[in-house]
Amino acid sequence: MTTEHAEHAEHAEHTEDPEHAERPGRGRDTEFSYAYAVVRPAAGLDGDALREVEGVAAGPVRLVGAGGVAAAVGSVPGREFSEAALRHHLEDLEWLEEVARAHHGVVEFLAARTTVLPLRLATVYVDDERVREVLRGGAGTFARLLDRFAGHVEWGVKVYAGLPRDLADPDAPGPSGTGPDAGPGRSYLRMRRREREDREAVRSAAAEAARRVEEAADGIAVELARHRPQQGELAAGSGENVANDSYLVPGGRSEEFRDRVRRATRDLPGVRVEITGPWAPYSFAVLTGPEAPGGTSRP
């Protein structure tokens, strides 16, 4: 899975409409309504424009409107998006990558044309009428969030502590020499002590980089969202991910934001800073209450 798709999949886990599984007479051959995002209807989102984008399950995308806003929706097969099927599929990284890529593609297509409130991956409703009910019930919240996101984009900043030289190459030869302290046992202890000191120095530099990034963003970014540091397959490149943050930035100040972050961290040895974006505001699209699908904490 690519880093950006994995990142958004991690921050956008599946949320399910309770009616999705409960309405009688709906089996594996039924189609459900898959919602990508909430938007304000715009001239650039007419039917002809939406034909340019392909959604999940290679399906077309349409707008379902109510309450002064609209949801970008596509039809998906029940055999893949029923409650039971999703429990299985969300453990399948290959399937998840395919869905995340299509989901992300639709959201970015919309974001290039209007303000979007991205919904979580695999937000599935029983039908379009259920989508309209949710839009009407949450119209005020949706409008406030769309106002807040207008003209803003998300930038991700990850800080990595690089591996000290000897840790990066466990087979590297240890120090050699002569004298009373040159025995293999003492050499090994000196090497381990140096590795420990190097590791602590790099982690300290990485912590300083994270502090500087936040300081550099102050006055430009209007919001900050902190995420868990990434590990395993989600961590791109070498080193230990020590900070994984997202910033909501006015679109017109994106270059200034990137330049400030780069300048603030470029003199710190052993530290790698990765800046990604601009994205739709995935990390800030947090819904609670009845407007969230199924009344859960997020869409």
Side-chain angles (χ1 to χ4, degrees), residues 96-135:
L96 188 60
E97 178 181 5
E98 182 179 346
V99 172
R101 184 185 294 112
H103 183 105
H104 177 65
V106 173
V107 171
E108 292 304 312
F109 176 89
L110 297 168
R113 292 159 175 80
T114 187
T115 303
V116 301
L117 168 59
L119 298 179
R120 305 196 85 181
L121 194 71
T123 296
V124 181
Y125 295 94
V126 67
D127 54 25
D128 286 2
E129 184 52 40
R130 177 58 179 151
V131 175
R132 293 186 185 94
E133 290 174 8
V134 172
L135 291 176

Side-chain angles (χ1 to χ4, degrees), residues 61-81:
V61 178
R62 60 187 179 274
L63 292 185
V64 174
V69 295
V73 171
S75 296
V76 292
R79 64 181 177 277
E80 288 193 54
F81 289 87

